[in-house]
Amino acid sequence: MLAAMPDSAPSPLSAGGPALRDGGDACPGTLRLHRADDGALARVRVPGGVLSADRAEALLAAAGRFGDGELHLTSRGNVQLRGLGAECGGGLAELLAGAGLLPSAAHERARNIVASPLAGLDGSPALGERLAELDALVCASAAAASLSGRFLFALDDGRGDVDALGADVTLIADGDAFLLRIGPGDEVFRIPAAEGPRAALRAAEAFLRAARDSGAWRVKDLPDPVRSELVRAVGATAGPAEHRPRPRTAKAPEPGTHGPGGTVEITPGPGYVPEATPGSTDALPDAHRHANPHGPAHTAAPDNPPPDPPASAAALAVDVPLGRLTPGQWGLLTATARRYGGELRLTPWRGIVVPGPFTGAEAADALGALAAAGLITSPDSPWTGVGACIGRPGCAKSLADVRAEAGAALGPAGRLPVYWSGCERRCGHPHGEWIDVVATPDGHRISYVRGERRDPPATVRDDPAALAAAVAAARARAL
C-alpha cells in the first residue's frame, strides 16, 4: 500500500546543516508518496537513466492513469509523477512492477545510480553491462536496503560528467580498470573493471557500518575522522591509491546530435520553428499548450538553406525546459526511441539522450520534430541550463511561482546553469558549479555555488527587470 510521505528534510545547503538520521527517510518513492499541494508525488528510480521504449510507455500510462499526465525529470535522472490520488497505491505499484520498474520493493529508494548519458555512443566506453550488474547487486544485498534515498552511486565513462556530481560511491572508467572514489575526496583506488560493481556495493555497505553512530545519510555527512577511516578501510581491500581531484563542473550533453567524434553539426528538418522572444509570455511554460508548452524552439533563418547533413549520427540529445514533459512530448520521445535505438537515457541535467543509429537525414528529421514539440535542441536556446523547483502553486512551502519567474527572466544562454528555488530547501538543485536563486520574504537571493562552497549572496528586491539582469550577469561569470 502506498502511503503519504511527510515533508522532506532540509537540503544540506540550507541552514539546517548536514542531514542526519534524526527521523525517517523522507525521500519519496513509488511505495511511499510525498504529499504536495497539487496531489501526491511518486519518484520512480531509473538506474543510469536508462529506459527501454516499453518501460517509457509504462511510465506514460502510469502518469495518465493515476496522475496529472505529465512526467518530471529529476537531478538524478529519475522520473516524478505528480497529481496522484491518495488511493492509487496498489494500482501504481502493480503497473510499475509489471514493467520491470520495481524489481525489489525493499530497495526501491536505494536504486539511485547515475551514469554518463553518452557512454558508448561517442567513442567513450560503454557502461550498460556494469550498470545492470550494480543495480542487480544492490537489489540482492539485504544491507543495501537500508541505504537512504539520498545515497548516490555514479558510473562515469571517464569524461568526468557524473564524477562531478558528488556521488557517495563513484566508478570512473579508465582503460581496462575503474577508479573508485568514496565521497567527495580527491583520492581514488584502481580496481579491475570486472570487479567495479561489487567494489562499489562493498563501499556502500561499509558506509552503512560507519554511519551507525553518527546517523549520517551520506558520506559527506560523516564526521571527518569517520569519513577518513571509511576511505582507508575501503582502500585496504581495493587497489593502489591515486590522486585525482573531482571535476569542478558537471558538463551535460550538449543539445543536438552526437557521433563517435563528439557533437555532430546537423540542421533540424522542417519541423523546426522560430524561437520565442526571451522574457516574453511565449517563453513561459503553460500546462494547457500540450503540443508545445514551453514556447517555440530555436531555429536557423529560413532563407539560409542548411548544409548537407553528415552520413550518420549515434544519438540525439535534447534538454527539457524545467524538466517537465507533457504526454505528447514523452510519447514523441518514446516513439523516436522505438524507431531507432530502442531506449531513452534520462540525464541528471533534466535532459534526454536518444541513442540511434540515425542516418544524417533521419537525425535532422527527428531533431526537427522534437524541436517543434517544444524541446531544447540547440545549446544557444535561452532555456539551456535553466532549472527550477516546482514552486507555487504545487508546493505549500514555496514563496513564489519560481517557474514563471525563471521564464520571465530568460536571456542569452549563460556559461553557468541557474536554478530557481521557492524556499531554502532547494529541492532538486544541481551539483558542481551553478547559480543559486532563492525566493525569500525580502525578494530573491543570488549566489555562486562551487560544490560545497558559495560566494556571499546578493539580494534583489521586487524588481523583475533588475532580477533578470542580475541572474544574467551571474551566469556569465568568468572562470
Side-chain angles (χ1 to χ4, degrees), residues 374-418:
L375 299 170
I376 301 168
T377 59
S378 169
D380 59 357
S381 167
W383 281 108
T384 299
V386 178
C389 72
I390 198 66
R392 287 181 177 173
C395 177
K397 286 185 168 56
S398 180
L399 301 178
D401 183 352
V402 287
R403 297 193 160 210
E405 291 178 337
L410 285 179
R415 185 186 75 82
L416 294 172
V418 58

Side-chain angles (χ1 to χ4, degrees), residues 384-478:
T384 299
V386 178
C389 72
I390 198 66
R392 287 181 177 173
C395 177
K397 286 185 168 56
S398 180
L399 301 178
D401 183 352
V402 287
R403 297 193 160 210
E405 291 178 337
L410 285 179
R415 185 186 75 82
L416 294 172
V418 58
Y419 195 79
W420 297 68
S421 300
C423 74
E424 298 287 353
R425 297 189 306 167
R426 298 174 174 87
C427 296
H429 68 78
H431 299 272
E433 188 183 20
W434 52 290
I435 300 302
D436 179 34
V437 182
V438 180
T440 72
D442 299 322
H444 292 77
R445 192 170 62 247
I446 304 171
S447 53
Y448 169 46
V449 179
R450 292 160 292 168
E452 300 302 314
R453 298 179 297 167
R454 63 175 58 241
D455 283 3
T459 298
V460 178
R461 306 292 177 181
D462 188 17
D463 184 339
L467 178 60
V471 170
R475 295 189 69 196
R477 179 184 182 125

Side-chain angles (χ1 to χ4, degrees), residues 218-388:
R218 304 196 59 188
V219 170
K220 66 184 178 65
D221 299 328
L222 290 169
D224 289 345
V226 178
R227 184 168 62 248
S228 297
E229 175 58 24
L230 170 65
V231 174
R232 189 206 63 76
V234 171
T237 62
E242 301 178 18
H243 182 76
R244 178 163 172 158
R246 194 177 72 186
R248 174 179 174 180
T249 302
K251 184 170 175 55
E254 200 169 82
T257 312
H258 296 260
T263 304
V264 178
E265 294 295 333
I266 291 182
T267 301
Y272 229 16
V273 292
E275 178 81 54
T277 302
S280 72
T281 55
D282 287 339
L284 295 176
D286 183 342
H288 302 291
R289 297 214 309 273
H290 281 242
N292 187 350
H294 308 293
H298 194 76
T299 185
D303 57 351
N304 185 16
D308 292 335
S312 64
L316 307 180
V318 298
D319 285 345
V320 179
L322 303 182
R324 194 195 76 196
L325 288 148
T326 65
Q329 290 171 326
W330 187 270
L332 176 61
L333 285 160
T334 302
T336 305
R338 190 175 293 284
R339 183 175 179 183
Y340 297 103
E343 72 177 28
L344 299 174
R345 298 186 184 182
L346 315 182
T347 82
W349 304 278
R350 295 179 172 87
I352 298 181
V353 170
V354 187
F358 301 85
T359 67
E362 289 170 340
D365 288 346
L367 204 62
L370 294 169
L375 299 170
I376 301 168
T377 59
S378 169
D380 59 357
S381 167
W383 281 108
T384 299
V386 178

Side-chain angles (χ1 to χ4, degrees), residues 125 130 172-179 190-196:
R130 304 302 182 202
I172 307 158
D174 190 62
D176 60 354
F178 274 121
L179 302 178
R190 183 173 294 274
I191 55 178
E195 298 177 14

